Every structure is written in structure tokens, then in C-alpha cells.
Amino acid sequence: MSRDNDLTARSAEPGFWPLYLFDSQATEAYAEAREDEEPEEDEILRAEFPLDRGLGLRLEFEPGIEYVDLAVLAPDSAEARTVGWDDTAHFHPHVMPWSELDLLCRAVALRDPASRYPGPMLALLLRFAFLSGGEDLDTITPLVDAAFSAAQPAEDSDAASRAGVREETRDWFDLRDLRGTRIEWADGPDGCRTVTQHDRDGAMLYSLREPASDEFPFAAWSGLLARATELLDAVRTDPAVRTPAVLDALGRCTGPEGHRHVGALATALSRAGFGHPVLLRALAEPVAVAEAAWAVETLAGTERGTVVAAWCGTSPLAGSRSWRLSLILPAAGRPVRFAQAIAGELSAELHTSGLGWAEVTGSTSVQGADGGHVRHSDQLDLLIRDDLPRGVRVIARLLRGHQAAETAELTHMDAPYERIPLLDPST
């Protein structure tokens, strides 16, 4: 990898996204490469996403330790203030609802001709956004898919077409979907909403934004959102947007077949003297349908996402469901890396079938006869998508092939934590 520490530039390199998304094999390969180079210090990749008036966001990624930090920039503070972080241990990634991420990405793209929306900024910051209830997947899915498509090409187009969405989109959805876990938003300090979770039995909220927090920079975050809203609203104050020809073209663009009329809208805007390069490019040369859609929404003043949903239709994720499972494998009499081998094979088969993934997440040990510690068992976390019985059959078949089904224990990770029989895969 190059030594350029610009995170946005590095995101275009082959192999970056598995590393950024904490793929264990990518992290191991990175560590080996760094050993050969004998680096003097840990590498930190940075990206800043400015609005104006000193407001913006700063993202830092330390690939060597799998750590990502998101901070807000504000004119009244000399230092960027962390709003959340993600790692593999004590993460607090639940920073904002989808609506705020969507707002900020649009506003930054509006100010920066070199940035596109949906694009790398959205893909990079998705890990800090989550679903809590009421979000429209018809709106969200096309934007997330387009963001990952802009940031990296699909390596497995067959898998993408089977699922209807990119694998990265589905991974984000499964990881950050907290709907149904009793998330509550309320007005807090400085007009900034706070978030609380009343049910801790399912997917859990880890956020600095809770009402009693003295760590979250509420005032700075409120200022950032307010300025982003102002910048988007200001587009419609241009007299060119209110000319009859533009208004007529906008009216035709906001319907279900509106994407057929964006070229005429771009022409009408140019003739009326509208000079905003970002929006004109989004209409005349969109890299995805969703890019032209958000430009139409901004110009027409419609609710964000309504045109996206109208043009792109029903989300493939509508009605989707996933299950988190725990698989315990006794270690007695097994090779040292038995669990890793099982996880690798199982994850590959689940992935190929479009059913999910598996990974080793821990182990237990007991005191041996000589007073030392002996590995007792290994734990795998599994995610099964949409078809639980089929996923269980895949698990059972693979374990039986390794003579491990009789002693393995498969359970749900959510209440009531039921045990799942490892049935004969032929039944």
C-alpha cells in the first residue's frame, strides 16, 4: 500500500475496504506487510469533510489496531471532539440516525465539487449511522448501494445480483439495524436529540449521545446539522430555480418516471443561468440514478429520499430478517486451530449461498491437572439471513462432516436464547 495518509484517496486502492471493514484476513495481511517494512510508528489515515464556518467532520483510521474515530470540527474548539469510535473491543459507533448522515453527506457534496453523493464519504461514515425505527429502506438502500459502488467495484456480481443489493450494503444493514430494540429519541441539550435504549436483550446501543452524557459535544453537533440544512435550503433561493421552465421540468422529475426528464431539467437550469456546478453535474452526468434523484430533491424542496424511493422502487431489504447465533465447539481432542478452520469453511459456504457469515469470537479455558490452563471451548458468532432453517442445515451438515455436531452447541444470541437442535441435514 502507498504511504499516502489521505483516507479518501486510500479508499480507492484495491484491498482497502476489507481492511477498513475489519476483515480478519485483510488485517493479518496488513500486519505482515508492515513487519516487512519495519515502520517506525503506527499508521493513521485521515479524512476531513468540511462544510464552512469552521464546521465539519474528521475521520481517522488506524488499520494496525482496527480503530476508527469520528470527530466533529467546530469554530469554538481548537481540537476536534470525538463523537464515536469503532473497534473490535469497546466500540461506541452509534453516533447518528440515517437521516443525519444523509443530510451531512449531501451538504458536504454541495460544497465540494470534488466530492460526489452518494460516494466515498457515505461509504466511510456508514459505520457511524444506525436504524432505530421509522426509516424507509426504499430510500436508504439505493443510496448505500450507490455509495459502495462508487467507492469500490463489486468483486462478485453474481452474489450481488442474487441478493439484490451489494454485500457491503447487506452487511451494514445487519450490523446497524436496531429497529425493534426500543430505541427512543428525545430533545436534549442545545436542541440536539439524545438517544436511549430501553431493551438491552437484543442488539445493543453503544452511543455517547445518551441523555446523561458529558462526553458528546451536543452544541457542536447541533451547529453542524443546522448549517448543513441551511446550505441545502439556500439552493432554492437562486432565482433560476423559480423560472417557469425550471419549475415545469422539476414537476416532471418528481414523479415515478422522473429520471427520464433529468436531462431536460439540466438544460432548463443552464438556460436560466443556474450556476451550481455540483447539482448541474449530478443531473447531466450522474454516476447513479440516486445521484440525480438527490439533486432533484434539493432543487424541488421535497422531503429527502422521496424521489430516490419513487425512482428506485421497493428495496430488496424490505421484509428481510437476520438471526445472530452462537456456536460453542468443545476443544478437547481437537487441533489447536480447529475452530478457525470450521469458521472459515462455514463462512465460505454461507457466503456462497447468500445466507450470512461466521467468525471465531472467543475461547474459554479451565485449570488442568498440572495447574496450567487448558483450552476448554471456542465460540463462533454466526449471522443467518432470511432463511434460518436452511442456514441451520448448512451448519449441521458441515459439523457432521467434521464429526463435531454431537458435541457442538448452537443457540440464539437474543432472548430467550433458545438452543437450536443440529438436525440431520437430510431432514
Side-chain angles (χ1 to χ4, degrees):
M1 300 179 77
S2 74
R3 296 277 65 81
D4 184 355
N5 71 345
D6 184 297
L7 182 53
T8 305
R10 290 282 287 273
S11 70
E13 294 183 358
F16 169 83
W17 285 96
L19 186 64
Y20 183 72
L21 299 175
F22 297 168
D23 177 86
S24 58
Q25 293 183 339
T27 300
E28 290 177 7
Y30 172 85
E32 293 175 0
R34 295 285 283 176
E35 286 178 2
D36 294 340
E37 296 173 8
E38 298 182 357
E40 296 181 359
E41 58 185 20
D42 290 336
E43 184 177 31
I44 300 177
L45 310 181
R46 297 182 179 87
E48 289 196 0
F49 305 105
L51 287 180
D52 62 357
R53 302 178 181 175
L55 292 164
L57 294 171
R58 175 180 296 165
L59 188 67
E60 293 188 340
F61 172 40
E62 297 182 56
I65 60 174
E66 295 182 317
Y67 184 87
V68 185
D69 181 272
L70 179 64
V72 62
L73 303 167
D76 59 354
S77 176
E79 299 291 333
R81 295 190 61 185
T82 292
V83 292
W85 69 92
D86 199 12
D87 58 21
T88 57
H90 305 293
F91 40 78
H92 274 65
H94 300 127
V95 174
M96 56 188 138
W98 162 263
S99 59
E100 292 181 1
L101 176 61
D102 183 36
L103 168 66
L104 293 172
C105 288
R106 292 178 186 224
V108 168
L110 200 65
R111 297 281 299 173
D112 179 11
S115 179
R116 302 194 80 138
Y117 183 68
M121 178 182 175
L122 178 60
L124 287 166
L125 295 186
L126 269 169
R127 70 192 317 147
F128 294 106
F130 64 101
L131 307 178
S132 60
E135 294 91 351
D136 183 359
L137 294 180
D138 295 351
T139 293
I140 297 170
T141 307
L143 290 165
V144 176
D145 249 14
F148 280 118
S149 295
Q152 59 172 339
E155 295 182 1
D156 185 349
S157 58
D158 291 337
S161 62
R162 269 201 314 273
V165 296
R166 287 182 62 99
E167 181 182 354
E168 301 90 349
T169 301
R170 183 62 196 260
D171 285 344
W172 171 78
F173 172 75
D174 290 333
L175 189 63
R176 294 291 186 258
D177 184 10
L178 270 62
R179 296 174 300 167
T181 62
R182 299 185 65 196
I183 296 291
E184 179 181 321
W185 291 93
D187 293 335
D190 302 296
C192 183
R193 291 194 300 167
T194 63
V195 64
T196 305
Q197 185 179 42
H198 298 286
D199 182 356
R200 308 294 284 188
D201 285 334
M204 293 180 65
L205 176 77
Y206 294 95
S207 180
L208 294 179
R209 202 165 163 172
E210 295 185 328
S213 174
D214 58 2
E215 298 178 69
F216 192 85
F218 289 104
W221 193 257
S222 293
L224 184 71
L225 297 178
R227 185 55 184 157
T229 302
E230 291 171 358
L231 290 171
L232 288 171
D233 289 345
V235 169
R236 294 188 298 282
T237 64
D238 190 316
V241 179
R242 298 192 295 274
T243 60
V246 170
L247 290 175
D248 178 66
L250 274 172
R252 285 182 280 119
C253 285
T254 53
E257 297 295 318
H259 62 281
R260 300 180 183 275
H261 306 288
V262 294
L265 175 58
T267 299
L269 285 166
S270 296
R271 289 175 177 173
F274 184 73
H276 201 297
V278 171
L279 294 178
L280 286 174
R281 181 185 62 186
L283 293 169
E285 302 173 2
V287 295
V289 171
E291 182 178 18
W294 85 264
V296 169
E297 292 169 354
T298 301
L299 290 161
T302 61
E303 182 180 352
R304 292 194 308 276
T306 53
V307 174
V308 175
W311 289 6
C312 298
T314 303
S315 167
L317 295 178
S320 61
R321 185 180 177 186
S322 61
W323 295 263
R324 297 293 300 272
L325 309 179
S326 171
L327 178 64
I328 303 297
L329 297 175
R334 301 292 186 186
V336 173
R337 295 188 62 82
F338 178 73
Q340 286 78 4
I342 291 290
E345 291 182 35
L346 187 54
S347 195
E349 186 160 352
L350 290 172
H351 171 76
T352 300
S353 304
L355 287 169
W357 47 261
E359 64 179 356
V360 178
T361 55
S363 63
T364 61
S365 61
V366 296
Q367 189 170 9
D370 59 356
H373 286 83
V374 179
R375 198 171 88 264
H376 177 262
S377 65
D378 295 291
Q379 177 177 336
L380 280 66
D381 284 2
L382 300 88
L383 184 136
I384 303 298
R385 295 169 173 155
D386 299 327
D387 192 338
L388 180 61
R390 184 179 169 214
V392 171
R393 288 195 295 271
V394 170
I395 297 167
R397 183 172 63 249
L398 187 142
L399 291 176
R400 289 176 185 277
H402 288 274
Q403 291 76 50
E406 293 76 9
T407 57
E409 181 177 322
L410 183 66
T411 59
H412 285 277
M413 293 183 67
D414 296 328
Y417 313 107
E418 299 162 305
R419 185 166 180 172
I420 303 173
L422 291 167
L423 302 175
D424 187 321
S426 63
T427 61

